Amino acid sequence: MQLQAAEFGQFLHEKGQISVPCWLLQKHQALDIPPEELGYLLLALYQQQRSREEDGAAFGEEAYPAKRNPGDNPWMGWALEKGWATWKGEGDKRKAVFDPLWHKLYQLWADEQATASREANNSGLAAEGFDYSAIMKELDRLRGSLTVTVREKQLIQEFNIKYGWSTEFILNFFRLCFQRDLIQMKNYKPLAAQIHRSGIYTLEGLTAFMSEVDWIGKQAAEIKRDYLGLYGMVTLMERDYYVKWHITWRFGHALIVRAARESAGAANATFKYIDSIIERWHELGVDSLEASEEAIQNWHEEKKKQAKNRNSNSNRASGRNSQRTADKNRTESPWEGFALTDREE
């Protein structure tokens, strides 16, 4: 067995590897790469490496050869179409490279480094002179009325005391929420908790995070159009559902899509219907596609069992009703209780 394992290890080594930076996986939302498209990108990187090796080039020296038609290689063609790869050079030296992808990753890193340098020891933490009233006035201005609730006042204090957010940080948080129509109390707390867990204390980092919330709108639109067959703008309620699933309950888009697929064909297939499925999964602790498939199978089996029990109970009830009808017919016979005497016989 050990010998086979060693041979397998050697086999994997000879086949080579694709190195994907964790930074790319961490920033896929900022790059607007849906999780399901990460696989396409990985296949494109693999095809580029394989093309280099087939041309007899050392790894890293050449790129996808221009003499090949991208249509013959759907993954590289996809990368070129999406703008993650581009053509470089002319004539026989023309080749496809992933410079746009690496440049965007570099820019994200450079922006965070610059921000950290500028605000090393002044990163939005609470300071003396926290202006509570300024935040209240800004909320009233954004809403156009005096509508700040007692619970919201408590939440503002929590942002300052528990999370250490400054006046300016909280002001920008609410402004960015309103720009995205996230104006309900239930949106604020899960968003703020996620921002805090992500270690975001700068205004630049906050803006970048809230830009990812815009990605949520795109994902909700995909669910509505492709899986529910509904058209039109994503409503605030529909986006609130997605915020709950993705941010509050931490469900990935793939799991949400699976729940949407399960709702297909239902007479009342809506975001509320999907919510009932995901809520059940949340209670069961479902955290992967494998676990969701098991939950779906168990649910269908339970439904079959309930239907079988209903049919069985219905048959038993029908049998009892038939017996009662027969008994009733016997008791209502005109000869019931009439005994013939010997003479009459």
Side-chain angles (χ1 to χ4, degrees):
M1 185 66 180
Q2 291 180 351
L3 179 59
Q4 290 179 339
E7 290 177 351
F8 179 63
Q10 180 64 25
F11 168 78
L12 292 179
H13 177 72
E14 292 174 354
K15 281 293 182 181
Q17 298 178 353
I18 293 292
S19 178
V20 179
C22 291
W23 184 244
L24 170 62
L25 303 181
Q26 292 172 10
K27 293 298 178 181
H28 72 89
Q29 288 188 356
L31 292 169
D32 197 23
I33 304 177
E36 58 269 22
E37 290 190 2
L38 285 173
Y40 301 163
L41 183 58
L42 183 62
L43 286 167
L45 291 168
Y46 163 68
Q47 293 294 344
Q48 184 195 39
Q49 176 177 325
R50 192 180 70 171
S51 298
R52 288 194 295 251
E53 293 171 350
E54 288 177 354
D55 286 351
F59 179 75
E61 294 181 358
E62 295 292 339
Y64 184 77
K67 64 185 179 182
R68 299 191 180 182
N69 185 347
D72 297 335
N73 190 321
W75 312 121
M76 183 57 71
W78 172 87
L80 288 164
E81 181 181 350
K82 286 288 186 177
W84 302 121
T86 188
W87 293 113
K88 183 178 180 180
E90 297 179 356
D92 293 339
K93 294 184 178 180
R94 188 168 179 256
K95 56 188 178 181
V97 295
F98 281 86
D99 288 358
L101 174 64
W102 308 131
H103 176 73
K104 290 180 181 179
L105 277 175
Y106 169 79
Q107 194 60 51
L108 288 173
W109 174 80
D111 290 345
E112 291 199 6
Q113 292 297 309
T115 299
S117 177
R118 287 195 309 267
E119 305 184 15
N121 297 315
N122 186 23
S123 56
L125 294 176
E128 296 181 5
F130 177 73
D131 197 344
Y132 178 80
S133 62
I135 299 172
M136 302 288 292
K137 291 178 180 178
E138 181 64 8
L139 275 175
D140 289 337
R141 185 191 70 80
L142 290 169
R143 291 173 175 169
S145 61
L146 302 176
T147 57
V148 179
T149 64
V150 173
R151 183 67 190 91
E152 286 172 329
K153 294 176 182 179
Q154 296 173 345
L155 190 62
I156 293 170
Q157 294 175 338
E158 183 178 337
F159 289 166
N160 175 242
I161 297 172
K162 182 178 178 179
Y163 295 158
W165 288 3
S166 68
T167 303
E168 190 64 21
F169 195 92
I170 296 175
L171 285 171
N172 279 276
F173 170 74
F174 283 121
R175 288 166 184 160
L176 291 168
C177 284
F178 271 77
Q179 288 173 10
R180 289 154 179 80
D181 292 329
L182 300 172
I183 60 178
Q184 297 185 27
M185 178 67 188
K186 62 182 180 181
N187 298 137
Y188 301 149
K189 194 163 185 176
L191 280 172
Q194 180 64 19
I195 291 168
H196 179 67
R197 284 195 299 268
S198 300
I200 298 172
Y201 294 104
T202 66
L203 295 180
E204 289 83 356
L206 174 64
T207 302
F209 175 87
M210 294 302 287
S211 294
E212 294 185 2
V213 175
D214 290 338
W215 174 81
I216 286 177
K218 295 179 182 178
Q219 302 299 74
E222 177 191 336
I223 295 295
K224 184 173 185 175
R225 180 187 65 250
D226 297 345
Y227 297 95
L228 296 180
L230 303 174
Y231 295 90
M233 296 291 291
V234 173
T235 67
L236 179 60
M237 181 179 295
E238 290 166 345
R239 183 153 57 171
D240 285 345
Y241 273 126
Y242 200 99
V243 168
K244 179 173 71 170
W245 304 333
H246 185 64
I247 294 180
T248 307
W249 289 347
R250 312 285 291 175
F251 275 79
H253 186 65
L255 273 174
I256 296 172
V257 166
R258 184 64 187 91
R261 285 172 49 204
E262 188 63 17
S263 71
N268 57 338
T270 60
F271 274 73
K272 186 175 181 180
Y273 188 91
I274 298 174
D275 184 63
S276 66
I277 296 174
I278 296 180
E279 183 176 9
R280 184 170 66 250
W281 291 358
H282 177 63
E283 293 172 351
L284 293 172
V286 171
D287 58 359
S288 66
L289 286 172
E290 292 77 8
S292 71
E293 295 296 341
E294 182 179 352
I296 290 171
Q297 182 178 354
N298 291 340
W299 185 81
H300 283 302
E301 290 178 355
E302 181 63 25
K303 285 295 182 181
K304 290 179 181 178
K305 186 183 297 183
Q306 291 176 1
K308 184 177 180 181
N309 290 338
R310 282 196 300 269
N311 291 334
S312 178
N313 293 335
S314 176
N315 291 336
R316 284 197 295 269
S318 177
R320 287 194 297 269
N321 290 336
S322 298
Q323 184 63 42
R324 282 196 295 269
T325 300
D327 293 342
K328 182 178 180 181
N329 290 336
R330 284 196 298 271
T331 57
E332 292 179 354
S333 171
W335 305 108
E336 185 70 23
F338 183 80
L340 295 176
T341 63
D342 293 340
R343 182 178 299 176
E344 289 172 332
E345 291 176 347

